[in-house]
Amino acid sequence: MKFKILVLITALFLSSCATIVSSSTQGISFVSTPKKADIIINGVSRGRTPAVIDLKRKKQNYKIEIEKEGYESHTVFIDRKINGWVWGNILGGGLIGLVVDYSTGAMYKLSRDQVSIELEKQEIAFDLDNDNLIIMTTLNPKPEWKKIGYAE
């Protein structure tokens, strides 16, 4: 009798494969060059690079923005996909496990484990600072910039 109860309890716990092997969150590593860039996730500031931030697997999508003053900002998207451990539930016939994995979000895996960004220096053609015109030059003009005083 005790053996049957032990087998039943073990089967219930092992039927949620993804929950046992994976948690409901996934640690994502954020690295940037230069360091100490702001990490903004779905519009909320979550720290500075380098950092490891736990994101919920159940959430549909994440919009990640990496920003640092004087540099071009960079946007990355992280999506979710089915965690391979869920197939253990299907093969093992664990309907309870599927429900547990779904409710905790462990049945999903985020599309990236790391976000590594090299930010480009922001090139400013001109800037108004305290009613003064500051003119800067660059060797790499962007095609969309308006050309002033340009002779062909």
Side-chain angles (χ1 to χ4, degrees), residues 82-121:
I82 298 294
N83 190 340
W85 288 104
V86 170
W87 300 113
N89 289 331
I90 294 170
L91 293 175
L95 181 61
I96 294 171
L98 283 173
V99 172
V100 170
D101 289 346
Y102 176 77
S103 65
T104 63
M107 77 177 291
Y108 301 108
K109 179 180 179 188
L110 298 178
S111 60
R112 304 180 95 153
D113 289 327
Q114 181 178 19
V115 174
S116 181
I117 304 295
E118 187 167 336
L119 297 173
E120 294 181 28
K121 195 99 166 125

PDB file of all heavy atoms in Angstrom, residues 82-121:
ATOM      1  N   ILE A  82       7.689  27.332 -26.894  1.00  0.00           N
ATOM      2  CA  ILE A  82       7.410  26.161 -26.063  1.00  0.00           C
ATOM      3  C   ILE A  82       8.711  25.554 -25.553  1.00  0.00           C
ATOM      4  O   ILE A  82       9.645  25.333 -26.316  1.00  0.00           O
ATOM      5  CB  ILE A  82       6.602  25.110 -26.852  1.00  0.00           C
ATOM      6  CG1 ILE A  82       5.258  25.669 -27.277  1.00  0.00           C
ATOM      7  CG2 ILE A  82       6.423  23.840 -26.037  1.00  0.00           C
ATOM      8  CD1 ILE A  82       4.314  25.966 -26.139  1.00  0.00           C
ATOM      9  N   ASN A  83       8.752  25.275 -24.254  1.00  0.00           N
ATOM     10  CA  ASN A  83       9.884  24.616 -23.611  1.00  0.00           C
ATOM     11  C   ASN A  83       9.856  23.138 -23.987  1.00  0.00           C
ATOM     12  O   ASN A  83       8.819  22.494 -23.925  1.00  0.00           O
ATOM     13  CB  ASN A  83       9.757  24.797 -22.090  1.00  0.00           C
ATOM     14  CG  ASN A  83      10.977  24.360 -21.333  1.00  0.00           C
ATOM     15  OD1 ASN A  83      11.802  23.599 -21.822  1.00  0.00           O
ATOM     16  ND2 ASN A  83      11.094  24.844 -20.116  1.00  0.00           N
ATOM     17  N   GLY A  84      10.989  22.588 -24.382  1.00  0.00           N
ATOM     18  CA  GLY A  84      11.068  21.189 -24.804  1.00  0.00           C
ATOM     19  C   GLY A  84      10.666  20.196 -23.731  1.00  0.00           C
ATOM     20  O   GLY A  84      10.217  19.083 -24.034  1.00  0.00           O
ATOM     21  N   TRP A  85      10.793  20.582 -22.466  1.00  0.00           N
ATOM     22  CA  TRP A  85      10.439  19.664 -21.381  1.00  0.00           C
ATOM     23  C   TRP A  85       8.939  19.391 -21.309  1.00  0.00           C
ATOM     24  O   TRP A  85       8.501  18.425 -20.679  1.00  0.00           O
ATOM     25  CB  TRP A  85      10.932  20.210 -20.043  1.00  0.00           C
ATOM     26  CG  TRP A  85      12.415  20.122 -19.927  1.00  0.00           C
ATOM     27  CD1 TRP A  85      13.301  21.151 -20.061  1.00  0.00           C
ATOM     28  CD2 TRP A  85      13.196  18.954 -19.693  1.00  0.00           C
ATOM     29  NE1 TRP A  85      14.576  20.701 -19.918  1.00  0.00           N
ATOM     30  CE2 TRP A  85      14.546  19.347 -19.687  1.00  0.00           C
ATOM     31  CE3 TRP A  85      12.896  17.617 -19.491  1.00  0.00           C
ATOM     32  CZ2 TRP A  85      15.589  18.448 -19.480  1.00  0.00           C
ATOM     33  CZ3 TRP A  85      13.926  16.721 -19.289  1.00  0.00           C
ATOM     34  CH2 TRP A  85      15.252  17.141 -19.290  1.00  0.00           C
ATOM     35  N   VAL A  86       8.133  20.194 -21.964  1.00  0.00           N
ATOM     36  CA  VAL A  86       6.681  19.973 -21.965  1.00  0.00           C
ATOM     37  C   VAL A  86       6.355  18.652 -22.654  1.00  0.00           C
ATOM     38  O   VAL A  86       5.393  17.980 -22.295  1.00  0.00           O
ATOM     39  CB  VAL A  86       5.959  21.152 -22.662  1.00  0.00           C
ATOM     40  CG1 VAL A  86       4.502  20.853 -22.901  1.00  0.00           C
ATOM     41  CG2 VAL A  86       6.109  22.403 -21.829  1.00  0.00           C
ATOM     42  N   TRP A  87       7.180  18.259 -23.618  1.00  0.00           N
ATOM     43  CA  TRP A  87       6.926  17.006 -24.334  1.00  0.00           C
ATOM     44  C   TRP A  87       7.012  15.814 -23.373  1.00  0.00           C
ATOM     45  O   TRP A  87       6.400  14.783 -23.612  1.00  0.00           O
ATOM     46  CB  TRP A  87       7.876  16.851 -25.511  1.00  0.00           C
ATOM     47  CG  TRP A  87       7.711  17.974 -26.480  1.00  0.00           C
ATOM     48  CD1 TRP A  87       8.618  18.946 -26.772  1.00  0.00           C
ATOM     49  CD2 TRP A  87       6.558  18.287 -27.252  1.00  0.00           C
ATOM     50  NE1 TRP A  87       8.096  19.842 -27.672  1.00  0.00           N
ATOM     51  CE2 TRP A  87       6.832  19.458 -27.986  1.00  0.00           C
ATOM     52  CE3 TRP A  87       5.303  17.696 -27.400  1.00  0.00           C
ATOM     53  CZ2 TRP A  87       5.919  20.036 -28.848  1.00  0.00           C
ATOM     54  CZ3 TRP A  87       4.396  18.287 -28.272  1.00  0.00           C
ATOM     55  CH2 TRP A  87       4.702  19.434 -28.972  1.00  0.00           C
ATOM     56  N   GLY A  88       7.759  15.946 -22.290  1.00  0.00           N
ATOM     57  CA  GLY A  88       7.796  14.896 -21.273  1.00  0.00           C
ATOM     58  C   GLY A  88       6.423  14.678 -20.659  1.00  0.00           C
ATOM     59  O   GLY A  88       6.043  13.555 -20.344  1.00  0.00           O
ATOM     60  N   ASN A  89       5.672  15.774 -20.496  1.00  0.00           N
ATOM     61  CA  ASN A  89       4.304  15.650 -19.989  1.00  0.00           C
ATOM     62  C   ASN A  89       3.405  14.932 -20.985  1.00  0.00           C
ATOM     63  O   ASN A  89       2.600  14.082 -20.620  1.00  0.00           O
ATOM     64  CB  ASN A  89       3.698  17.030 -19.702  1.00  0.00           C
ATOM     65  CG  ASN A  89       4.313  17.680 -18.502  1.00  0.00           C
ATOM     66  OD1 ASN A  89       4.761  17.009 -17.599  1.00  0.00           O
ATOM     67  ND2 ASN A  89       4.353  18.987 -18.511  1.00  0.00           N
ATOM     68  N   ILE A  90       3.541  15.287 -22.242  1.00  0.00           N
ATOM     69  CA  ILE A  90       2.691  14.688 -23.270  1.00  0.00           C
ATOM     70  C   ILE A  90       3.012  13.200 -23.412  1.00  0.00           C
ATOM     71  O   ILE A  90       2.118  12.365 -23.456  1.00  0.00           O
ATOM     72  CB  ILE A  90       2.860  15.441 -24.612  1.00  0.00           C
ATOM     73  CG1 ILE A  90       2.309  16.869 -24.455  1.00  0.00           C
ATOM     74  CG2 ILE A  90       2.167  14.705 -25.747  1.00  0.00           C
ATOM     75  CD1 ILE A  90       2.599  17.791 -25.589  1.00  0.00           C
ATOM     76  N   LEU A  91       4.299  12.863 -23.464  1.00  0.00           N
ATOM     77  CA  LEU A  91       4.694  11.456 -23.598  1.00  0.00           C
ATOM     78  C   LEU A  91       4.342  10.658 -22.347  1.00  0.00           C
ATOM     79  O   LEU A  91       3.956   9.500 -22.433  1.00  0.00           O
ATOM     80  CB  LEU A  91       6.196  11.353 -23.883  1.00  0.00           C
ATOM     81  CG  LEU A  91       6.644  11.904 -25.236  1.00  0.00           C
ATOM     82  CD1 LEU A  91       8.158  11.867 -25.360  1.00  0.00           C
ATOM     83  CD2 LEU A  91       5.997  11.133 -26.377  1.00  0.00           C
ATOM     84  N   GLY A  92       4.480  11.277 -21.190  1.00  0.00           N
ATOM     85  CA  GLY A  92       4.178  10.590 -19.940  1.00  0.00           C
ATOM     86  C   GLY A  92       2.708  10.627 -19.576  1.00  0.00           C
ATOM     87  O   GLY A  92       2.303  10.051 -18.570  1.00  0.00           O
ATOM     88  N   GLY A  93       1.915  11.308 -20.387  1.00  0.00           N
ATOM     89  CA  GLY A  93       0.478  11.356 -20.136  1.00  0.00           C
ATOM     90  C   GLY A  93       0.095  12.211 -18.944  1.00  0.00           C
ATOM     91  O   GLY A  93      -0.936  11.982 -18.321  1.00  0.00           O
ATOM     92  N   GLY A  94       0.896  13.190 -18.622  1.00  0.00           N
ATOM     93  CA  GLY A  94       0.637  13.996 -17.438  1.00  0.00           C
ATOM     94  C   GLY A  94      -0.208  15.218 -17.710  1.00  0.00           C
ATOM     95  O   GLY A  94       0.312  16.311 -17.889  1.00  0.00           O
ATOM     96  N   LEU A  95      -1.514  15.056 -17.736  1.00  0.00           N
ATOM     97  CA  LEU A  95      -2.417  16.195 -17.923  1.00  0.00           C
ATOM     98  C   LEU A  95      -2.264  17.186 -16.780  1.00  0.00           C
ATOM     99  O   LEU A  95      -2.258  18.399 -16.997  1.00  0.00           O
ATOM    100  CB  LEU A  95      -3.868  15.712 -18.038  1.00  0.00           C
ATOM    101  CG  LEU A  95      -4.905  16.808 -18.264  1.00  0.00           C
ATOM    102  CD1 LEU A  95      -4.606  17.533 -19.565  1.00  0.00           C
ATOM    103  CD2 LEU A  95      -6.300  16.224 -18.293  1.00  0.00           C
ATOM    104  N   ILE A  96      -2.081  16.669 -15.576  1.00  0.00           N
ATOM    105  CA  ILE A  96      -1.875  17.546 -14.420  1.00  0.00           C
ATOM    106  C   ILE A  96      -0.597  18.360 -14.620  1.00  0.00           C
ATOM    107  O   ILE A  96      -0.548  19.557 -14.350  1.00  0.00           O
ATOM    108  CB  ILE A  96      -1.817  16.731 -13.114  1.00  0.00           C
ATOM    109  CG1 ILE A  96      -3.166  16.085 -12.834  1.00  0.00           C
ATOM    110  CG2 ILE A  96      -1.376  17.596 -11.944  1.00  0.00           C
ATOM    111  CD1 ILE A  96      -3.151  15.098 -11.687  1.00  0.00           C
ATOM    112  N   GLY A  97       0.425  17.691 -15.128  1.00  0.00           N
ATOM    113  CA  GLY A  97       1.697  18.376 -15.385  1.00  0.00           C
ATOM    114  C   GLY A  97       1.561  19.495 -16.400  1.00  0.00           C
ATOM    115  O   GLY A  97       2.145  20.560 -16.251  1.00  0.00           O
ATOM    116  N   LEU A  98       0.776  19.255 -17.455  1.00  0.00           N
ATOM    117  CA  LEU A  98       0.544  20.306 -18.453  1.00  0.00           C
ATOM    118  C   LEU A  98      -0.144  21.514 -17.827  1.00  0.00           C
ATOM    119  O   LEU A  98       0.216  22.659 -18.101  1.00  0.00           O
ATOM    120  CB  LEU A  98      -0.290  19.770 -19.615  1.00  0.00           C
ATOM    121  CG  LEU A  98       0.435  18.901 -20.625  1.00  0.00           C
ATOM    122  CD1 LEU A  98      -0.549  18.307 -21.627  1.00  0.00           C
ATOM    123  CD2 LEU A  98       1.502  19.698 -21.342  1.00  0.00           C
ATOM    124  N   VAL A  99      -1.121  21.259 -16.985  1.00  0.00           N
ATOM    125  CA  VAL A  99      -1.837  22.350 -16.317  1.00  0.00           C
ATOM    126  C   VAL A  99      -0.893  23.119 -15.399  1.00  0.00           C
ATOM    127  O   VAL A  99      -0.882  24.352 -15.399  1.00  0.00           O
ATOM    128  CB  VAL A  99      -3.063  21.814 -15.536  1.00  0.00           C
ATOM    129  CG1 VAL A  99      -3.686  22.901 -14.682  1.00  0.00           C
ATOM    130  CG2 VAL A  99      -4.086  21.229 -16.490  1.00  0.00           C
ATOM    131  N   VAL A 100      -0.072  22.394 -14.632  1.00  0.00           N
ATOM    132  CA  VAL A 100       0.883  23.051 -13.733  1.00  0.00           C
ATOM    133  C   VAL A 100       1.897  23.859 -14.528  1.00  0.00           C
ATOM    134  O   VAL A 100       2.184  25.022 -14.215  1.00  0.00           O
ATOM    135  CB  VAL A 100       1.593  22.009 -12.832  1.00  0.00           C
ATOM    136  CG1 VAL A 100       2.745  22.643 -12.068  1.00  0.00           C
ATOM    137  CG2 VAL A 100       0.603  21.368 -11.872  1.00  0.00           C
ATOM    138  N   ASP A 101       2.459  23.275 -15.596  1.00  0.00           N
ATOM    139  CA  ASP A 101       3.445  23.979 -16.416  1.00  0.00           C
ATOM    140  C   ASP A 101       2.847  25.224 -17.064  1.00  0.00           C
ATOM    141  O   ASP A 101       3.487  26.266 -17.154  1.00  0.00           O
ATOM    142  CB  ASP A 101       4.016  23.055 -17.487  1.00  0.00           C
ATOM    143  CG  ASP A 101       4.940  21.998 -16.913  1.00  0.00           C
ATOM    144  OD1 ASP A 101       5.340  22.141 -15.747  1.00  0.00           O
ATOM    145  OD2 ASP A 101       5.268  21.044 -17.638  1.00  0.00           O
ATOM    146  N   TYR A 102       1.596  25.116 -17.523  1.00  0.00           N
ATOM    147  CA  TYR A 102       0.941  26.271 -18.132  1.00  0.00           C
ATOM    148  C   TYR A 102       0.700  27.372 -17.105  1.00  0.00           C
ATOM    149  O   TYR A 102       0.982  28.542 -17.349  1.00  0.00           O
ATOM    150  CB  TYR A 102      -0.387  25.864 -18.780  1.00  0.00           C
ATOM    151  CG  TYR A 102      -1.140  27.052 -19.326  1.00  0.00           C
ATOM    152  CD1 TYR A 102      -0.760  27.635 -20.520  1.00  0.00           C
ATOM    153  CD2 TYR A 102      -2.206  27.609 -18.629  1.00  0.00           C
ATOM    154  CE1 TYR A 102      -1.426  28.740 -21.017  1.00  0.00           C
ATOM    155  CE2 TYR A 102      -2.887  28.710 -19.115  1.00  0.00           C
ATOM    156  CZ  TYR A 102      -2.489  29.275 -20.317  1.00  0.00           C
ATOM    157  OH  TYR A 102      -3.134  30.377 -20.794  1.00  0.00           O
ATOM    158  N   SER A 103       0.192  27.001 -15.945  1.00  0.00           N
ATOM    159  CA  SER A 103      -0.154  28.011 -14.946  1.00  0.00           C
ATOM    160  C   SER A 103       1.073  28.713 -14.372  1.00  0.00           C
ATOM    161  O   SER A 103       1.010  29.889 -14.035  1.00  0.00           O
ATOM    162  CB  SER A 103      -0.992  27.400 -13.819  1.00  0.00           C
ATOM    163  OG  SER A 103      -0.233  26.456 -13.107  1.00  0.00           O
ATOM    164  N   THR A 104       2.193  28.013 -14.282  1.00  0.00           N
ATOM    165  CA  THR A 104       3.409  28.649 -13.755  1.00  0.00           C
ATOM    166  C   THR A 104       4.203  29.367 -14.838  1.00  0.00           C
ATOM    167  O   THR A 104       5.066  30.182 -14.540  1.00  0.00           O
ATOM    168  CB  THR A 104       4.341  27.606 -13.101  1.00  0.00           C
ATOM    169  OG1 THR A 104       4.770  26.677 -14.100  1.00  0.00           O
ATOM    170  CG2 THR A 104       3.668  26.912 -11.948  1.00  0.00           C
ATOM    171  N   GLY A 105       3.927  29.045 -16.107  1.00  0.00           N
ATOM    172  CA  GLY A 105       4.683  29.629 -17.202  1.00  0.00           C
ATOM    173  C   GLY A 105       5.906  28.806 -17.568  1.00  0.00           C
ATOM    174  O   GLY A 105       6.633  29.144 -18.498  1.00  0.00           O
ATOM    175  N   ALA A 106       6.156  27.708 -16.847  1.00  0.00           N
ATOM    176  CA  ALA A 106       7.336  26.882 -17.107  1.00  0.00           C
ATOM    177  C   ALA A 106       7.248  26.134 -18.432  1.00  0.00           C
ATOM    178  O   ALA A 106       8.246  25.620 -18.914  1.00  0.00           O
ATOM    179  CB  ALA A 106       7.540  25.890 -15.963  1.00  0.00           C
ATOM    180  N   MET A 107       6.068  26.106 -19.057  1.00  0.00           N
ATOM    181  CA  MET A 107       5.957  25.423 -20.347  1.00  0.00           C
ATOM    182  C   MET A 107       6.549  26.258 -21.485  1.00  0.00           C
ATOM    183  O   MET A 107       6.644  25.807 -22.611  1.00  0.00           O
ATOM    184  CB  MET A 107       4.500  25.067 -20.648  1.00  0.00           C
ATOM    185  CG  MET A 107       3.625  26.200 -21.109  1.00  0.00           C
ATOM    186  SD  MET A 107       1.941  25.669 -21.512  1.00  0.00           S
ATOM    187  CE  MET A 107       2.197  24.693 -22.970  1.00  0.00           C
ATOM    188  N   TYR A 108       6.996  27.482 -21.150  1.00  0.00           N
ATOM    189  CA  TYR A 108       7.584  28.364 -22.148  1.00  0.00           C
ATOM    190  C   TYR A 108       9.065  28.587 -21.882  1.00  0.00           C
ATOM    191  O   TYR A 108       9.539  28.442 -20.757  1.00  0.00           O
ATOM    192  CB  TYR A 108       6.876  29.727 -22.154  1.00  0.00           C
ATOM    193  CG  TYR A 108       5.405  29.621 -22.442  1.00  0.00           C
ATOM    194  CD1 TYR A 108       4.473  29.830 -21.438  1.00  0.00           C
ATOM    195  CD2 TYR A 108       4.949  29.301 -23.712  1.00  0.00           C
ATOM    196  CE1 TYR A 108       3.124  29.739 -21.690  1.00  0.00           C
ATOM    197  CE2 TYR A 108       3.602  29.194 -23.973  1.00  0.00           C
ATOM    198  CZ  TYR A 108       2.682  29.417 -22.960  1.00  0.00           C
ATOM    199  OH  TYR A 108       1.355  29.313 -23.214  1.00  0.00           O
ATOM    200  N   LYS A 109       9.758  28.972 -22.925  1.00  0.00           N
ATOM    201  CA  LYS A 109      11.163  29.357 -22.826  1.00  0.00           C
ATOM    202  C   LYS A 109      11.302  30.674 -23.587  1.00  0.00           C
ATOM    203  O   LYS A 109      10.709  30.828 -24.657  1.00  0.00           O
ATOM    204  CB  LYS A 109      12.051  28.280 -23.448  1.00  0.00           C
ATOM    205  CG  LYS A 109      13.506  28.629 -23.402  1.00  0.00           C
ATOM    206  CD  LYS A 109      14.364  27.553 -24.023  1.00  0.00           C
ATOM    207  CE  LYS A 109      15.796  28.042 -23.919  1.00  0.00           C
ATOM    208  NZ  LYS A 109      16.729  27.231 -24.609  1.00  0.00           N
ATOM    209  N   LEU A 110      12.059  31.606 -23.047  1.00  0.00           N
ATOM    210  CA  LEU A 110      12.266  32.872 -23.744  1.00  0.00           C
ATOM    211  C   LEU A 110      13.273  32.670 -24.865  1.00  0.00           C
ATOM    212  O   LEU A 110      14.185  31.845 -24.768  1.00  0.00           O
ATOM    213  CB  LEU A 110      12.720  33.943 -22.759  1.00  0.00           C
ATOM    214  CG  LEU A 110      11.704  34.259 -21.661  1.00  0.00           C
ATOM    215  CD1 LEU A 110      12.255  35.293 -20.691  1.00  0.00           C
ATOM    216  CD2 LEU A 110      10.391  34.732 -22.247  1.00  0.00           C
ATOM    217  N   SER A 111      13.118  33.435 -25.947  1.00  0.00           N
ATOM    218  CA  SER A 111      13.893  33.227 -27.170  1.00  0.00           C
ATOM    219  C   SER A 111      15.378  33.566 -27.036  1.00  0.00           C
ATOM    220  O   SER A 111      16.159  33.154 -27.878  1.00  0.00           O
ATOM    221  CB  SER A 111      13.280  34.029 -28.323  1.00  0.00           C
ATOM    222  OG  SER A 111      13.274  35.411 -28.011  1.00  0.00           O
ATOM    223  N   ARG A 112      15.762  34.293 -25.994  1.00  0.00           N
ATOM    224  CA  ARG A 112      17.172  34.648 -25.812  1.00  0.00           C
ATOM    225  C   ARG A 112      17.570  34.435 -24.363  1.00  0.00           C
ATOM    226  O   ARG A 112      16.786  34.639 -23.462  1.00  0.00           O
ATOM    227  CB  ARG A 112      17.411  36.120 -26.141  1.00  0.00           C
ATOM    228  CG  ARG A 112      16.974  36.546 -27.505  1.00  0.00           C
ATOM    229  CD  ARG A 112      17.265  38.000 -27.664  1.00  0.00           C
ATOM    230  NE  ARG A 112      18.548  38.112 -28.319  1.00  0.00           N
ATOM    231  CZ  ARG A 112      18.914  39.123 -29.058  1.00  0.00           C
ATOM    232  NH1 ARG A 112      18.133  40.146 -29.195  1.00  0.00           N
ATOM    233  NH2 ARG A 112      20.079  39.160 -29.632  1.00  0.00           N
ATOM    234  N   ASP A 113      18.845  34.080 -24.172  1.00  0.00           N
ATOM    235  CA  ASP A 113      19.415  33.995 -22.827  1.00  0.00           C
ATOM    236  C   ASP A 113      20.279  35.206 -22.530  1.00  0.00           C
ATOM    237  O   ASP A 113      20.595  35.487 -21.382  1.00  0.00           O
ATOM    238  CB  ASP A 113      20.276  32.737 -22.680  1.00  0.00           C
ATOM    239  CG  ASP A 113      19.450  31.474 -22.651  1.00  0.00           C
ATOM    240  OD1 ASP A 113      18.320  31.526 -22.136  1.00  0.00           O
ATOM    241  OD2 ASP A 113      19.925  30.440 -23.146  1.00  0.00           O
ATOM    242  N   GLN A 114      20.703  35.903 -23.594  1.00  0.00           N
ATOM    243  CA  GLN A 114      21.601  37.040 -23.416  1.00  0.00           C
ATOM    244  C   GLN A 114      21.281  38.127 -24.429  1.00  0.00           C
ATOM    245  O   GLN A 114      20.945  37.849 -25.574  1.00  0.00           O
ATOM    246  CB  GLN A 114      23.058  36.606 -23.594  1.00  0.00           C
ATOM    247  CG  GLN A 114      24.037  37.739 -23.402  1.00  0.00           C
ATOM    248  CD  GLN A 114      25.486  37.292 -23.540  1.00  0.00           C
ATOM    249  OE1 GLN A 114      25.782  36.252 -24.102  1.00  0.00           O
ATOM    250  NE2 GLN A 114      26.390  38.081 -23.022  1.00  0.00           N
ATOM    251  N   VAL A 115      21.389  39.374 -23.965  1.00  0.00           N
ATOM    252  CA  VAL A 115      21.289  40.537 -24.840  1.00  0.00           C
ATOM    253  C   VAL A 115      22.629  41.241 -24.747  1.00  0.00           C
ATOM    254  O   VAL A 115      23.006  41.742 -23.690  1.00  0.00           O
ATOM    255  CB  VAL A 115      20.138  41.478 -24.416  1.00  0.00           C
ATOM    256  CG1 VAL A 115      20.140  42.739 -25.252  1.00  0.00           C
ATOM    257  CG2 VAL A 115      18.800  40.764 -24.509  1.00  0.00           C
ATOM    258  N   SER A 116      23.377  41.231 -25.841  1.00  0.00           N
ATOM    259  CA  SER A 116      24.700  41.846 -25.884  1.00  0.00           C
ATOM    260  C   SER A 116      24.690  42.910 -26.979  1.00  0.00           C
ATOM    261  O   SER A 116      24.480  42.600 -28.150  1.00  0.00           O
ATOM    262  CB  SER A 116      25.762  40.785 -26.185  1.00  0.00           C
ATOM    263  OG  SER A 116      27.037  41.369 -26.201  1.00  0.00           O
ATOM    264  N   ILE A 117      24.897  44.166 -26.584  1.00  0.00           N
ATOM    265  CA  ILE A 117      24.745  45.299 -27.496  1.00  0.00           C
ATOM    266  C   ILE A 117      26.016  46.141 -27.497  1.00  0.00           C
ATOM    267  O   ILE A 117      26.589  46.421 -26.442  1.00  0.00           O
ATOM    268  CB  ILE A 117      23.564  46.196 -27.063  1.00  0.00           C
ATOM    269  CG1 ILE A 117      22.272  45.400 -26.972  1.00  0.00           C
ATOM    270  CG2 ILE A 117      23.410  47.409 -27.968  1.00  0.00           C
ATOM    271  CD1 ILE A 117      21.768  44.849 -28.274  1.00  0.00           C
ATOM    272  N   GLU A 118      26.434  46.557 -28.675  1.00  0.00           N
ATOM    273  CA  GLU A 118      27.507  47.548 -28.786  1.00  0.00           C
ATOM    274  C   GLU A 118      26.853  48.839 -29.275  1.00  0.00           C
ATOM    275  O   GLU A 118      26.404  48.934 -30.417  1.00  0.00           O
ATOM    276  CB  GLU A 118      28.584  47.086 -29.767  1.00  0.00           C
ATOM    277  CG  GLU A 118      29.778  48.010 -29.773  1.00  0.00           C
ATOM    278  CD  GLU A 118      30.979  47.432 -30.491  1.00  0.00           C
ATOM    279  OE1 GLU A 118      31.091  46.202 -30.604  1.00  0.00           O
ATOM    280  OE2 GLU A 118      31.806  48.237 -30.938  1.00  0.00           O
ATOM    281  N   LEU A 119      26.769  49.814 -28.368  1.00  0.00           N
ATOM    282  CA  LEU A 119      26.105  51.077 -28.690  1.00  0.00           C
ATOM    283  C   LEU A 119      27.032  51.948 -29.527  1.00  0.00           C
ATOM    284  O   LEU A 119      28.235  52.028 -29.257  1.00  0.00           O
ATOM    285  CB  LEU A 119      25.708  51.802 -27.409  1.00  0.00           C
ATOM    286  CG  LEU A 119      24.692  51.074 -26.523  1.00  0.00           C
ATOM    287  CD1 LEU A 119      24.519  51.808 -25.207  1.00  0.00           C
ATOM    288  CD2 LEU A 119      23.369  50.947 -27.235  1.00  0.00           C
ATOM    289  N   GLU A 120      26.451  52.604 -30.521  1.00  0.00           N
ATOM    290  CA  GLU A 120      27.226  53.507 -31.374  1.00  0.00           C
ATOM    291  C   GLU A 120      27.153  54.917 -30.823  1.00  0.00           C
ATOM    292  O   GLU A 120      26.117  55.359 -30.347  1.00  0.00           O
ATOM    293  CB  GLU A 120      26.670  53.481 -32.799  1.00  0.00           C
ATOM    294  CG  GLU A 120      26.837  52.150 -33.490  1.00  0.00           C
ATOM    295  CD  GLU A 120      26.304  52.175 -34.913  1.00  0.00           C
ATOM    296  OE1 GLU A 120      26.308  53.265 -35.535  1.00  0.00           O
ATOM    297  OE2 GLU A 120      25.889  51.126 -35.386  1.00  0.00           O
ATOM    298  N   LYS A 121      28.276  55.623 -30.895  1.00  0.00           N
ATOM    299  CA  LYS A 121      28.349  57.007 -30.438  1.00  0.00           C
ATOM    300  C   LYS A 121      27.355  57.830 -31.250  1.00  0.00           C
ATOM    301  O   LYS A 121      27.258  57.688 -32.457  1.00  0.00           O
ATOM    302  CB  LYS A 121      29.767  57.545 -30.628  1.00  0.00           C
ATOM    303  CG  LYS A 121      30.057  58.793 -29.897  1.00  0.00           C
ATOM    304  CD  LYS A 121      30.806  58.444 -28.626  1.00  0.00           C
ATOM    305  CE  LYS A 121      31.404  59.703 -28.055  1.00  0.00           C
ATOM    306  NZ  LYS A 121      31.020  59.918 -26.703  1.00  0.00           N
TER     307      LYS A 121
END
